[in-house]
Amino acid sequence: MNVLTGDSERDRPGRPAAWELDPPPTAAPEEERSRLLEYVVLRATGVLLAVLVLGHFAVTHLVTDVAHDNSAFVARRLSSGLWIAWDSTMLGAALVHGVTGLRIATADYLLDTRARRIAEVSILALGAVLLVIGSLAIGRAAVA
Amino acid sequence: MSAVQIAFAAGLAGVLVALLASTALVVHKGLAGGSLDRLGIRRATENSGARRVAFYVHRLTGVGVFAFLCLHILDVGLFTLSHRLYDQVQELYGTAELRVFECLLLLAVLFHAGNGLRLLLFDLGLLDSAASKSALGVVAAATGAAGIAGSVFILAPVFK
């Protein structure tokens, strides 16, 4: 398998691809459900972020040049309910999406259950700390 | 440079190191082969050719954008402590170096969003395998076009 050209062993008839050799592990029903929930959360926040993040980028780079995004600009922008709602939703969705995506991605490389558990808890803790820091900043700007 | 600006620069270097390390890991593991889709929802036909590369690029742009998000929440968090510290870091965002980074960030976000929407449409059954393949071309073209257009805006002040 060449990742750059995309040449796959599957393309050669009669030879199974590498990922076909090992049957996927069968998951317990409750694990299936949590995977489905995780999948729906990842996609739903993803659609939301496609709008919120690109809108955020447009406002902070195209509408106003990034050189003028100082604390006065933040205080002015965050005096509007629309932007408080926008930034709060974006913060929450981005962290949920990032934590979920990173959890799925790291699990692909950590075969040991304990190592996977440690990674999961660390990623979740990082997300929780960032949520607090981000919320405090939005709250501070909203009341300023 | 002030202390908080040096800390931000170190954080940004950390973001780039995290991205490089993830790229090395993902490419290394990818070359070794293995199951790509733990969810088992996507059909195996999604795991070949350009779409296989798109899978890796999606994963790596995700890691890169998340790494920057961590730094960005910390620098915006300075607003809670002091407007002066916030403004010191904010000044860096206007430098030529950071503007180049912002262009790369825009490209990463555009591809990740476009490709993510393509995968959603495929999983909802709105795109068949062939349409999903062409849609990847559309995503790549739109990423390039919008990325270049956005970069012109972002970089323009450097040349003034």
Side-chain angles (χ1 to χ4, degrees), chain A residues 1 39 43 65 71 108, chain B residues 38 42 52 87 99 123:
Chain A
M1 172 70 206
Y39 175 86
R43 289 288 180 246
D65 184 70
S71 53
D108 276 351
Chain B
R38 292 175 57 257
R42 202 155 303 124
R52 191 175 170 97
D87 286 339
R99 283 178 190 273
D123 288 341

Side-chain angles (χ1 to χ4, degrees), chain A residues 50-132:
Chain A
V51 177
L52 295 176
V53 171
L54 289 173
H56 171 73
F57 215 101
V59 166
T60 56
H61 292 268
L62 307 184
V63 179
T64 315
D65 184 70
V66 70
H68 303 120
D69 295 346
N70 55 16
S71 53
F73 168 79
V74 173
R76 200 165 58 245
R77 190 162 63 88
L78 271 281
S79 65
S80 133
L82 167 75
W83 287 112
I84 295 170
W86 185 295
D87 285 9
S88 308
T89 312
M90 184 170 69
L91 175 70
L95 285 173
V96 168
H97 188 85
V99 164
T100 308
L102 205 57
R103 199 205 73 78
I104 293 174
T106 49
D108 276 351
Y109 306 102
L110 298 172
L111 300 177
D112 179 57
T113 314
R114 208 175 105 82
R116 206 159 53 219
R117 196 82 202 116
I118 292 170
E120 275 175 6
V121 172
S122 311
I123 294 166
L124 202 61
L126 174 68
V129 169
L130 291 172
L131 184 65
V132 171

Side-chain angles (χ1 to χ4, degrees), chain A residues 1-4 6 8 10 18-19 35-36 39 43 47 50 53-54 56-57 61-62 65-67 69-71 74-75 91 94-95 97-99 102-105 107-109 126 130 133-134 136-137 140-141, chain B residues 25-26 29 31 34-36 38-39 41-42 44 47 49 52-53 56 59 63 66 69-70 72-74 76-77 79-80 83 86-87 90 93-94 99 102 105-106 109-110 112-113 117 119-120 123 153-154 157:
Chain A
M1 172 70 206
N2 185 325
V3 67
L4 296 176
S8 162
R10 182 188 283 279
W19 63 84
R35 279 186 186 185
L36 182 65
Y39 175 86
R43 289 288 180 246
V47 172
V53 171
L54 289 173
H56 171 73
F57 215 101
H61 292 268
L62 307 184
D65 184 70
V66 70
D69 295 346
N70 55 16
S71 53
V74 173
L91 175 70
L95 285 173
H97 188 85
V99 164
L102 205 57
R103 199 205 73 78
I104 293 174
D108 276 351
Y109 306 102
L126 174 68
L130 291 172
I133 295 173
L136 285 173
R140 178 76 173 74
Chain B
L25 174 79
V26 165
K29 295 286 182 184
L31 290 173
S35 172
L36 287 176
R38 292 175 57 257
L39 295 162
I41 294 171
R42 202 155 303 124
N47 292 336
R52 191 175 170 97
V53 176
Y56 292 116
R59 178 160 280 191
V63 168
F66 184 76
L69 175 69
C70 296
H72 192 44
I73 290 178
L74 291 179
V76 170
F79 192 92
T80 319
H83 291 191
Y86 176 88
D87 286 339
Q90 191 50 50
Y93 276 96
R99 283 178 190 273
E102 285 149 23
L105 182 67
L106 176 62
V109 171
L110 284 170
H112 197 86
L117 292 173
L119 295 176
L120 178 62
D123 288 341
F153 272 94
I154 294 169

Side-chain angles (χ1 to χ4, degrees), chain B residues 114-127:
Chain B
N115 192 55
L117 292 173
R118 177 185 73 89
L119 295 176
L120 178 62
L121 294 179
F122 178 83
D123 288 341
L124 290 175
L126 297 171
L127 293 176

